[in-house]
Amino acid sequence: MPGWNARNIPAQSGRTAVVTGANSGIGYVTARELARSGASVVLACRSAARGRAALVRLRTEVPGAEAEFLPLDLADLSSVREFATAYGQWHPSLDLLVNNAGVMALPYGRTADGFETQFGVNHLGHFALTGLLLPRLRAAAAGARIVNVSSGFHVLGKIAFGEDGPDGTGGFGGPGSEHGYRRWVAYGRSKTANLLFTHELARRFTAAGSTITAAAAHPGYASSNLHSGASKLEGPTLNSHVAALGNAVLAQPTAAGALPTLYAATAPGVRQDAFIGPRFGWRGAPAPSWRAGWTLDDTAGERLWAASEELTGVSYATLPR
């Protein structure tokens, strides 16, 4: 693992991958390197203009790449269902699903289905997408993989289940969720949800004797559009200037930030519920990453799973515990 980089990606010829949020940043680099390694890649992006532009760019940088664009808005469950249907019409199986797309530290808002935006996009949209694509993942000739992209910021938000949402403050868009809203805490909770989802998914795959592997990754401190977007929300404050300076001086390049995701997606021997990040936490080659103990809580994973099925209307009933 030390020194692992994109040149170490095993040949991906004959494999199909879906990468959400593939129009820019870490998502784009992930899609590009998978295509460079021979995979047929589907760029799943909310903006049609940016998605098609990314497709043109990818085909320019990787001549002969097998790649396509399909629209996907994770903030709208009807769009998630449409994507899954469209994918299934052209692809009988899926070898790799990279749940990369996300939003960071947004002001309070709601998705089309009424959920708090960060939780709705970062977790519930991907939960629904994974469940709807599960039949295609199970149809893969070899062991398929699901990689959920989380963050070291998951430490900011432990999910405490309450009457008005799993975080006790209406985190699913329940009554009063806009009151006392703290956007960084909400972001942390959504990233904790990514890890709890991975944990419970891996636990169920193991119990079912499935060949599908569920793993997670995080980019460390990488220069990306997520960080720049969050900084812009701060306005011209001291914190925003410090963040911009840190991004310029300390952050590793986007290509390096994508390596943990690529490792989790392609490296041999990745175990169920692995969490891969930079070796030194914020930068460095891919390595097993520390994670908060609450992201390994079986009871919390089961409760989040049950709530997510109810809220999205997507059932994983065909997958035994």
Side-chain angles (χ1 to χ4, degrees):
M1 189 178 293
W4 195 94
N5 57 53
R7 292 189 297 274
N8 300 120
I9 297 174
Q12 298 296 301
S13 299
R15 294 172 63 81
T16 302
V18 168
V19 181
T20 68
N23 58 280
S24 64
I26 287 169
Y28 174 78
V29 173
T30 299
R32 183 190 66 197
E33 296 309 314
L34 289 172
R36 197 190 305 277
S37 301
S40 175
V41 181
V42 177
L43 282 64
C45 314
R46 180 178 60 84
S47 166
R50 290 194 289 270
R52 293 193 178 102
L55 180 61
V56 171
R57 178 185 171 193
L58 189 152
R59 287 174 171 167
T60 300
E61 295 181 357
V62 186
E66 292 187 27
E68 63 182 293
F69 158 73
L70 283 178
L72 171 66
D73 184 354
L74 290 161
D76 185 343
L77 292 178
S78 65
S79 173
V80 176
R81 292 181 181 277
E82 289 169 3
F83 175 91
T85 298
Y87 179 86
Q89 289 176 342
W90 296 100
H91 303 280
S93 64
L94 175 60
D95 300 279
L96 177 59
L97 172 60
V98 180
N99 290 322
N100 162 81
V103 291
M104 174 189 278
L106 296 180
Y108 179 80
R110 292 178 183 246
T111 67
D113 303 281
F115 309 125
E116 187 274 313
T117 303
Q118 296 191 84
F119 207 93
V121 171
N122 296 352
H123 170 62
L124 291 175
H126 280 129
F127 179 92
L129 178 66
T130 302
L132 293 168
L133 291 177
L134 187 57
R136 306 301 171 188
L137 289 158
R138 298 179 75 172
R145 288 193 194 179
I146 299 163
V147 178
N148 296 316
V149 179
S150 183
S151 167
F153 283 116
H154 75 273
V155 299
L156 297 178
K158 178 179 180 180
I159 296 178
F161 294 84
E163 293 181 357
D164 58 349
D167 59 5
T169 60
F172 283 166
S177 56
E178 67 272 29
H179 301 299
Y181 176 78
R182 290 175 293 171
R183 56 194 179 93
W184 279 105
V185 172
Y187 176 69
R189 286 176 176 143
S190 74
K191 296 289 101 179
T192 282
N194 292 153
L195 286 172
L196 270 177
F197 172 41
T198 304
H199 177 68
E200 182 63 13
L201 189 59
R203 200 162 70 94
R204 294 184 180 218
F205 282 150
T206 298
S210 174
T211 60
I212 304 173
T213 298
H218 76 91
Y221 190 2
S223 178
S224 73
N225 55 334
L226 266 183
H227 286 289
S228 62
S231 296
K232 288 176 182 177
L233 289 172
E234 299 281 0
T237 65
L238 177 60
N239 285 341
S240 68
H241 291 311
V242 170
L245 179 62
N247 201 51
V249 176
L250 300 176
Q252 59 183 351
T254 304
L259 290 179
T261 298
L262 288 165
Y263 184 95
T266 67
V270 171
R271 298 180 178 181
Q272 291 283 16
D273 205 22
F275 186 32
I276 307 298
R279 181 182 179 188
F280 301 108
W282 57 286
R283 66 184 303 152
S289 179
W290 176 88
R291 61 198 286 182
W294 62 70
T295 69
L296 297 167
D297 185 323
D298 292 351
T299 300
E302 288 181 343
R303 294 185 68 180
L304 177 64
W305 185 285
S308 300
E309 283 194 328
E310 180 179 355
L311 291 163
T312 63
V314 175
S315 173
Y316 286 61
T318 58
L319 178 62
R321 292 189 186 283

